[in-house]
Amino acid sequence: LHRRRHSFPTRRSSDLFCYIGKRHLEKALETFPGRDSVEITWKSYQLDPTIPMSFEEPVGVYEYLADRKGWSLEQSVQMHERVVEMAASVGLEYNFEKAVVANSLYAHRVIQLAKEKGLDDAIEEIFFRAYFTEGRDLASVSELVALGEEAGLAEADIRAAIASEEYAYRVSQDIQEGVNLGVRGVPFFVFDRKYGISGAEPIQVFIDTLNQTQDAS
C-alpha cells in the first residue's frame, strides 16, 4: 500500500487546515492494520506564489485573508477562531495572532532537501509548528536554517538548497504534478494515485479511504 501526499503551507483559506489534516491522517493510521506498509511522500505546492519574498512590515494572517476574500477584519478573525477550535480538538495549538504571511518557496526547497534524507515528515511537522504555533517567518533564511537543523539537516546543505535552481525545479515539478492531478486547494491527499481526500476531513474518512485503498490493491 502506497500513499502519496501533497502538502503545502502558503496563505489562502484552505491551507489553514494542513496541520489538522496531517493529524487526522496520523490518527487514522494509528488504527489502520496495514500502517507499517504505508509509504508517505510529501509534495510541494503553492496556492499563492505571488506573495512577496519579503515585506517592509510583517503582514498578519487576519488582514491577509480579509483582503483576499473581501471580508471585514472581524469576519476573518471569527473564521480563524473556528479553525483554532478544530485544531485544539486534535491537540494542536494555533496562534494566529502571531502568524505572519510568508512566501513558502524557500521552505519547499528545504523540504525537497529533507526528502532526500528521509526527513521530510520531520521537517513538515517542524514547519507547521513553527508557522501555526510559534509565528515564525518561513520566508526567512535564518529561520529556515534553524528549523532545518532541528530536523537534522546541515546548515551548509540548507543554504545551498535555498539557493539551488535544482531544488527550485523539483518544487515546480511537484506543483505541476499536483495540477495534473486536479489539485486546487490544500491539504490534498492522494492514496495510491486512485483515491483523494481534499481538506481536513474527519478521521473516519481517512480510515475508510485507507481501507478502500488496501482492498483495491
Side-chain angles (χ1 to χ4, degrees), residues 25-90:
L25 172 65
E26 291 167 349
K27 289 185 178 296
L29 285 170
E30 288 175 3
T31 65
F32 180 55
R35 59 185 174 275
D36 291 340
S37 63
V38 175
E39 176 189 343
I40 298 176
T41 301
W42 287 83
K43 298 288 187 174
S44 295
Y45 195 87
Q46 285 191 294
L47 282 172
D48 189 357
T50 66
I51 293 175
M53 293 307 300
S54 63
F55 295 90
E56 290 185 7
E57 297 290 339
V59 177
V61 297
Y62 297 142
E63 293 81 4
Y64 176 79
L65 191 62
D67 180 68
R68 287 299 300 266
K69 295 292 187 180
W71 295 346
S72 69
L73 184 60
E74 182 180 17
Q75 286 175 312
S76 180
V77 171
Q78 289 174 347
M79 192 283 292
H80 282 83
E81 286 175 349
R82 291 194 292 270
V83 178
V84 169
E85 293 173 1
M86 187 175 178
S89 71
V90 287

Side-chain angles (χ1 to χ4, degrees), residues 148-210:
E149 288 182 320
E150 184 180 338
L153 299 172
E155 178 179 353
D157 291 341
I158 297 166
R159 292 186 180 278
I162 290 172
S164 169
E165 289 304 313
E166 170 61 26
Y167 287 100
Y169 175 74
R170 295 181 191 182
V171 172
S172 67
Q173 288 295 99
D174 275 0
I175 292 172
Q176 186 58 52
E177 182 181 2
V179 170
N180 293 342
L181 286 168
V183 176
R184 296 294 180 269
V186 295
F188 194 89
F189 306 81
V190 179
F191 295 75
D192 205 21
R193 304 190 76 86
K194 295 178 182 178
Y195 309 106
I197 295 178
S198 179
E201 292 288 342
I203 295 169
Q204 189 60 49
V205 174
F206 286 87
I207 293 172
D208 292 344
T209 306
L210 285 165

